Every structure is written in C-alpha cells, then in structure tokens.
Amino acid sequence: MSIVPASQIPSLSLLYKLGKIPPAAASKPPPTLLGPSTLPTPSKSLNDRVAIVRGDITKLRVSAIVNAANNSLRGGGGVDGAIHRAAGPGLLAECRTLNGCPTGSAKITRAYNLPCDRVIHAVGPIYSTHDPEKSERELTSAYTTSLKLAADNGCKTVAFSALSTGVYGYPSRAAAPAALSAVRKFMKGEDGKNLDKVVIVTFEKKDVDAYNEALPLFFPPEEKPAAAGDEQPAKKKKAEAELEAEAQAVANELPSPPKVDPADGDHVEKKQKRSED
Ligand code: ADP
C-alpha cells in the first residue's frame, strides 16, 4: 500500500454522495456520554471535515496519527507494534522519556520514519463488562484528549485508530458511537475549528460495520438523493457529474484494506496489561 495524503482521504460528504455509507438503520443515535440524544441536523461543515478510510494507519500522510498505546508507552502489538516498526527506534527512545500515560489520556511525540508529522499515543481502557460506564468515560476521554493535543500542537489533519477495540476488548458497536460523539462534540467547539480533517481509520471488518451503522446517526447526510423527475439546471448537473467522476477516481485510488483480519502472535503478551474482569 502506498502513502496516502490527507487530501485523498474521502470526507463523509463525498462518501455519502458516492453511496458508500448505507442509510441510517435507526431513528436516533444510541445513548453516549457526549450525545447527541436525537438525530442531529445534517452539517456540511462537519461532513466535509470528518473522513473514514479502511487500511493501514502507518501509510497516511496526515499531521498526526493516533496510536492505541498502553500505559507504559513502551510499544506493544497490534497498531502500536505496526507504528513502532514503521517509525523506527527513535520513537521508542522518545516514548521512554515520557513516564507512561494514564488510561483515558494521551501524549504526543515526533513521528521519525513515518509519513505523518506527529504521533499521539492515546491509552484507551481495557473494556470492563462490570463497569461499562467507566470504560466509556475513559474511551471518550482518550479521544477528546487526543483531539485537544492535535489542535494545541497545530496538527490540522488527525487520523485515529479504533482505540481499545483490539486486544483491549471494547465491543466495536459500542466504541464507534463513543468515538463519534467525542469527535462531533470537539469539532463543533472552538478548538475544533482549528482541525481541517479528522479521519477514522478502520482495519477489521467489525469496525467497518460498526462505523457504517453509527456514522449516519452522528453525522447524517445533508441531502437525500434527488427524486426521479427532479429538475436541475444543466450547469449544476454538469458540475455534479464532474464532482462525482472526480470522487470515483479518488475512491479507486484508495488503499486496499487488509485481506485477513490481523493475527499478531505476541500481541496480548506485549500489551503488559491485564483485564480487571
Ligand atoms: P487496543 O489494545 O487498544 O485494543 P489494538 O492495537 O489491539 O489496540 O487494536 C486497536 C485497533 O487497531 C483495532 O481495531 C485493530 O484492528 C486496529 N489495527 C491494527 N493494526 C492496524 C494498522 N496497521 N492500522 C490501523 N489500524 C490497525
């Protein structure tokens, strides 16, 4: 997979236009800490600045990628391992100077050999079936802290891995709404104005499915497809056809998703953390 610049990662506006995100299957978003509790009004500004892509986060040329790290910040398996491998030893050396990171928080480093400029190391929770509310608070906080770090460090484009949904066992169908509610709240706030693009990076099919389900409930499409017989001025029609052709060309260039779900033998062991369950 070749390096993908931020400008080529399709926004939700484009994906809705191309019919790549299925219509909402529910009438309101599932309850999350940061809401909204009812279907929000569609927003072009948000849909233009939120994006989703399936593939390897280490190949994205964005201002910052968000790593699903552990408390030690000394590397691990899964996406953490992939990021450290691609960045080279300088990343681990810098991480060692940071004194770890509490769950629900994040720290920022340089990116060494990666195509991005910075790495934000976020620590999501190990999912607790006994205290799912605490897990949600910590996951939400990991997303919000990462977004704030990105904005404070002048990172205009930031790409998130699906924090906690791998070895840490957070169910994807619960993690996606928590992630999207945090992104939505942040992007609507003052700090969010400094971010040009927030990219959700999925890797496994379960996360693709979870986001396809949640996206139209947190970031609804602006317009319904035109009904048959709708009149459009010829000029507008031409402009739209051009945009769609361009969009299709971008979509064709996108990185291929992994053919198999990741199986990293030493992943669990390297996480150095055990579930409280
Ligand atoms: P956690 O311990 O926080 O669950 P993992 O690394 O196990 O972290 O998984 C987090 C997510 O990252 C999972 O959804 C996993 O499929 C995904 N992932 C693994 N490798 C990559 C990669 N190279 N690029 C993007 N996402 C990845």
Side-chain angles (χ1 to χ4, degrees):
M1 171 175 157
S2 52
I3 306 298
V4 182
S7 58
Q8 274 184 25
I9 304 173
S11 67
L12 298 185
S13 295
L14 192 54
L15 291 167
Y16 281 129
K17 208 170 191 32
L18 291 170
K20 299 268 180 194
I21 302 175
S27 57
K28 58 178 183 148
T32 50
L33 275 180
L34 301 181
S37 55
T38 55
L39 192 68
T41 312
S43 160
K44 175 169 161 47
S45 151
L46 288 176
N47 291 353
D48 282 347
R49 292 186 301 134
V50 176
I52 185 161
V53 68
R54 186 180 186 189
D56 182 354
I57 199 168
T58 67
K59 306 290 187 192
L60 303 183
R61 185 177 294 127
V62 289
S63 312
I65 61 171
V66 183
N67 179 17
N70 58 38
N71 294 121
S72 78
L73 298 187
R74 289 178 182 226
V79 70
D80 199 4
I83 289 173
H84 276 275
R85 273 194 299 279
L91 181 61
L92 185 59
E94 183 174 352
C95 282
R96 282 182 193 280
T97 67
L98 299 177
N99 297 319
C101 180
T103 304
S105 192
K107 293 197 174 172
I108 188 164
T109 64
R110 290 163 55 204
Y112 303 90
N113 299 334
L114 285 160
C116 56
D117 299 326
R118 311 292 292 269
V119 180
I120 294 172
H121 305 265
V123 184
I126 295 177
Y127 188 70
S128 165
T129 48
H130 299 311
D131 198 348
E133 287 81 13
K134 179 170 178 234
S135 297
E136 190 186 346
R137 277 197 302 280
E138 291 174 339
L139 187 65
T140 304
S141 167
Y143 275 93
T144 304
T145 311
S146 300
L147 288 162
K148 179 92 176 77
L149 265 180
D152 288 351
N153 284 275
C155 300
K156 293 283 180 198
T157 53
V158 50
F160 279 90
S161 58
L163 306 180
S164 285
T165 62
V167 150
Y168 279 8
Y170 209 116
S172 297
R173 289 188 68 215
L180 292 181
S181 65
V183 170
R184 186 181 165 85
K185 179 102 194 245
F186 191 88
M187 294 298 273
K188 280 172 69 86
E190 209 40 51
D191 283 334
K193 300 204 172 85
N194 296 322
L195 299 184
D196 291 343
K197 205 176 230 183
V198 173
V199 183
I200 302 291
V201 183
T202 55
F203 198 68
E204 296 177 57
K205 183 167 181 302
K206 67 185 175 67
D207 296 294
V208 175
D209 294 343
Y211 276 102
N212 276 342
E213 196 177 306
L215 276 166
L217 300 172
F218 288 88
F219 296 95
E222 292 145 65
E223 342 167 331
K224 308 237 175 320
D230 276 4
E231 283 302 319
Q232 281 187 333
K235 203 171 155 196
K236 193 173 168 207
K237 265 190 188 164
K238 186 163 175 271
E240 287 202 353
E242 277 168 10
L243 184 66
E244 266 177 48
E246 200 181 305
Q248 193 61 57
V250 170
N252 291 342
E253 288 294 307
L254 286 177
S256 348
K259 298 250 181 324
V260 288
D261 282 348
D264 188 345
D266 55 359
H267 188 173
V268 179
E269 185 180 297
K270 279 193 185 167
K271 271 287 187 177
Q272 301 163 344
K273 196 166 162 183
R274 295 284 171 261
S275 168
E276 290 124 18
D277 290 339

